[in-house]
Amino acid sequence: MSLLDDAAHVESLTALSRFRTDFYACLPARADALFELTDALLCTDGPVKTLVELSLAPEHRRGHGALYGALNHGRLEVARLRRTLSGLPLPRAADGRIVLACDVSNWLRPDAATSAERLFCHTYGRGRGSAQMIPGWPYSIVAALEPGRTSWTALLDAVRLGPGDDETAVTAAQLREVIERLRTAGHVQDGDLPVLIVFDAGYDVTRLAFLLADLPVELLGRMRSDRVLYFPPPPQPPGKVGRKPKRGAEFKFEDEATWPAPARTTTSATSRYGQAVATAWDRLHPLLSRRSAWADYPKGELPVISGTVVRLRVDRLPGDRAPKPVWLWWSGVDATAADVDRLWRSFLRRFDLEHTFRMIKQTLGWTRPKLRTPEAADRWTWLIISAHTQLRLARPLAEDLRRPWERSARPGRLTPARVRRGFRRLHEKTPQPAGAPKSGTAGPGRPAGSKNRHRAREHPVGKQSKTDTAKSAPKRQAA
């Protein structure tokens, strides 16, 4: 090993050790049990199938009762952990800008009638038209994306959506706080390129652009293929009197006859999708109406949220699927050919977040525990994020412990699952702030033959509007 490689190894180990120490400091109650639970999550072989099996790992020196007690009654300073995550090194795109992805992942709990604050979560089925709405806890997750094809992302934040939440308003507040923390940590400075935030379909990206217009960010989101946008109104002819039109010609995604000559068109050859053709039209905005999210907007004209529409078409998709064009909306205007090429490539990097969701669900077992309270679910979610962050920091240190039937990975190309496979060898080289457990005996429990007289309350599922909240509030008696 050269001196340069040795210095990089020491630097990576120092960053991992510092994060483990800072993470332990974020646990004010049941710290030892929560910290060792995270270590067991990192060092266990194979995917996590049940929560109680983590208590059998050598890194977890406490019993299974302490494990559940820590999740149900422990404490975790989320604000401090968020600042710690924002202070870590973040990946950047080729031009030096930070690219964030925001998406919702669901923790399905269809049989948990006694769990509060569940919503109906949209889930896709294997067959066409087999999507279902299943009760669960949806989490809005923000992560920083790496350039190039990879299964790694840097998780930065997670917020559980509640029954009375406006998803767009909550997402805007979440992203605003993430940007402020990145600015405090020095990742976002005056004069830097704007942070690009990428969304998939399902987000009101135009409203998000309006709510975050004061931040140094650009928003890029996918739109449905049946949307209709509008060009700016044409200039008023000289001498003409009367009211100026509010909008210009229609732009229907499904009607090619409404498409004028594009402002920009780029063509690129890719090894995975064949030839990619991106066509852009400038200064298109949606038609807003005073209902739903804009019902409480101050009196006067509704805002005009202009942006650039990009239509991406490729020759083929993996799995011999028939390619369909993808429609994107960018919050910027006057896009150059380099901007159009950068936008569609950045959108494809958003799918790296899907690999992270699959990793934390299928390997780390994020949605495996049958926790009752949403507070315990939040606590477990942040333990999962902390474990994934330690895997990311241990990426330059891990060995390739491949199976006989697996291919050797190139240097620096280990997947999160392979890094976790060798984390136990790194565990002994990192700080172990958790104290040894004290000796004790199990409690007596409920007497034999007695019944549980404190039945858990069942909670309804679904959104809760302001009208429902007003009806459920107790009425005050007149004095």
Side-chain angles (χ1 to χ4, degrees):
M1 180 182 295
S2 62
L3 293 178
L4 185 62
D5 294 338
D6 187 53
H9 186 277
V10 172
E11 183 180 357
S12 300
L13 185 59
T14 302
L16 175 60
S17 301
R18 186 184 301 113
F19 177 79
R20 286 174 61 84
T21 304
D22 295 341
F23 170 57
Y24 183 80
C26 298
L27 306 172
R30 309 287 181 105
D32 295 341
L34 290 174
F35 189 85
E36 289 191 354
L37 174 59
T38 309
D39 278 354
L41 183 66
L42 288 167
C43 298
T44 302
D45 295 332
V48 176
K49 297 182 179 179
T50 60
L51 187 61
V52 70
E53 288 182 352
L54 294 177
S55 63
L56 303 178
E59 291 75 16
H60 192 275
R61 297 174 293 178
R62 289 157 173 82
H64 62 278
L67 183 150
Y68 284 102
L71 286 178
N72 292 324
H73 305 290
R75 285 171 49 202
L76 190 150
E77 295 181 358
V78 176
R80 183 172 181 176
L81 182 55
R82 282 170 169 158
R83 292 193 299 268
T84 302
L85 293 173
S86 300
L88 297 175
L90 293 181
R92 293 178 180 266
D95 57 358
R97 76 173 72 231
I98 296 177
V99 181
L100 303 180
C102 183
D103 203 355
V104 173
S105 186
N106 302 318
W107 183 341
L108 302 181
R109 296 303 311 277
D111 301 327
T114 59
S115 295
E117 302 182 11
R118 291 182 303 158
L119 299 178
F120 286 106
C121 304
H122 183 271
T123 58
Y124 290 97
R126 292 187 176 274
R128 184 178 181 182
S130 60
Q132 301 179 18
M133 303 297 290
I134 299 178
W137 290 314
Y139 280 83
S140 175
I141 297 179
V142 179
L145 303 179
E146 294 189 1
R149 291 173 55 186
T150 179
S151 56
W152 287 95
T153 60
L155 296 176
L156 296 176
D157 194 44
V159 172
R160 179 173 47 83
L161 303 177
D165 290 340
D166 180 354
E167 288 85 353
T168 304
V170 171
T171 303
Q174 179 187 17
L175 291 172
R176 182 177 296 275
E177 294 176 359
V178 169
I179 296 299
E180 291 299 331
R181 289 195 296 270
L182 294 180
R183 179 178 293 171
T184 303
H187 294 299
V188 178
Q189 300 179 3
D190 296 338
D192 290 349
L193 293 174
V195 178
L196 179 62
I197 308 177
V198 187
F199 304 88
D200 200 7
Y203 282 93
D204 191 350
V205 63
T206 55
R207 184 184 170 205
L208 285 171
F210 174 78
L211 295 175
L212 302 176
D214 58 323
L215 295 180
V217 297
E218 298 176 351
L219 273 65
L220 176 66
R222 184 169 69 169
M223 284 188 165
R224 300 192 315 268
S225 59
D226 59 349
R227 290 294 299 269
V228 179
L229 301 183
Y230 296 88
F231 285 99
Q236 195 84 338
K240 183 178 181 180
V241 296
R243 185 176 181 180
K244 183 179 178 180
K246 296 182 179 179
R247 54 187 178 273
E250 288 185 339
F251 185 91
K252 298 181 179 180
F253 290 180
E254 294 181 330
D255 187 2
E256 191 172 353
T258 63
W259 304 351
R264 298 287 183 274
T265 301
T266 63
T267 303
S268 304
T270 64
S271 59
R272 186 174 179 84
Y273 305 102
Q275 192 176 45
V277 179
T279 311
W281 291 268
D282 198 19
R283 300 186 182 275
L284 283 162
H285 65 273
L287 177 62
L288 306 181
S289 59
R290 287 192 175 276
R291 61 185 181 187
S292 185
W294 300 99
D296 299 332
Y297 190 78
K299 293 183 179 181
E301 295 289 339
L302 291 174
V304 177
I305 310 173
S306 298
T308 301
V309 171
V310 179
R311 180 179 182 267
L312 176 63
R313 180 176 55 82
V314 297
D315 290 338
R316 61 180 183 272
L317 292 176
D320 296 331
R321 292 177 294 168
K324 296 181 180 179
V326 176
W327 292 92
L328 306 176
W329 187 88
W330 179 49
S331 60
V333 294
D334 299 330
T336 63
D339 289 332
V340 175
D341 189 67
R342 171 177 61 88
L343 292 174
W344 71 262
R345 293 181 184 275
S346 299
F347 177 77
L348 294 185
R349 296 277 62 79
R350 191 213 68 84
F351 292 97
D352 297 340
L353 188 57
E354 303 295 337
H355 295 288
T356 300
F357 290 158
R358 187 180 298 111
M359 166 66 185
I360 63 177
K361 285 185 176 181
Q362 297 182 1
T363 304
L364 297 182
W366 173 38
T367 58
R368 289 289 185 175
K370 305 301 181 182
L371 301 175
R372 173 178 293 180
T373 63
E375 294 77 15
D378 295 344
R379 211 166 288 122
W380 172 248
T381 299
W382 281 106
L383 294 186
I384 292 290
I385 294 177
S386 301
H388 187 272
T389 303
Q390 293 186 53
L391 293 178
R392 180 169 64 90
L393 296 177
R395 181 179 174 186
L397 307 171
E399 302 179 30
D400 185 13
L401 303 180
R402 66 183 184 90
R403 302 288 189 257
W405 53 86
E406 294 176 342
R407 294 181 180 178
S408 299
R410 299 193 304 271
R413 298 292 296 178
L414 289 179
T415 63
R418 286 203 184 186
V419 173
R420 177 174 176 259
R421 193 180 297 169
F423 191 86
R424 179 166 283 169
R425 297 190 177 186
L426 299 172
H427 180 261
E428 59 184 12
K429 302 178 183 179
T430 59
Q432 311 296 329
K438 299 179 181 179
S439 59
T441 57
R446 186 185 304 154
S450 64
K451 296 183 179 180
N452 182 13
R453 299 183 183 275
H454 302 280
R455 302 285 295 179
R457 176 190 171 189
E458 295 187 0
H459 298 271
V461 184
K463 298 289 290 183
Q464 186 176 8
S465 62
K466 298 180 181 179
T467 305
D468 298 334
T469 306
K471 290 181 179 179
S472 60
K475 297 182 179 180
R476 295 183 179 181
Q477 296 182 356

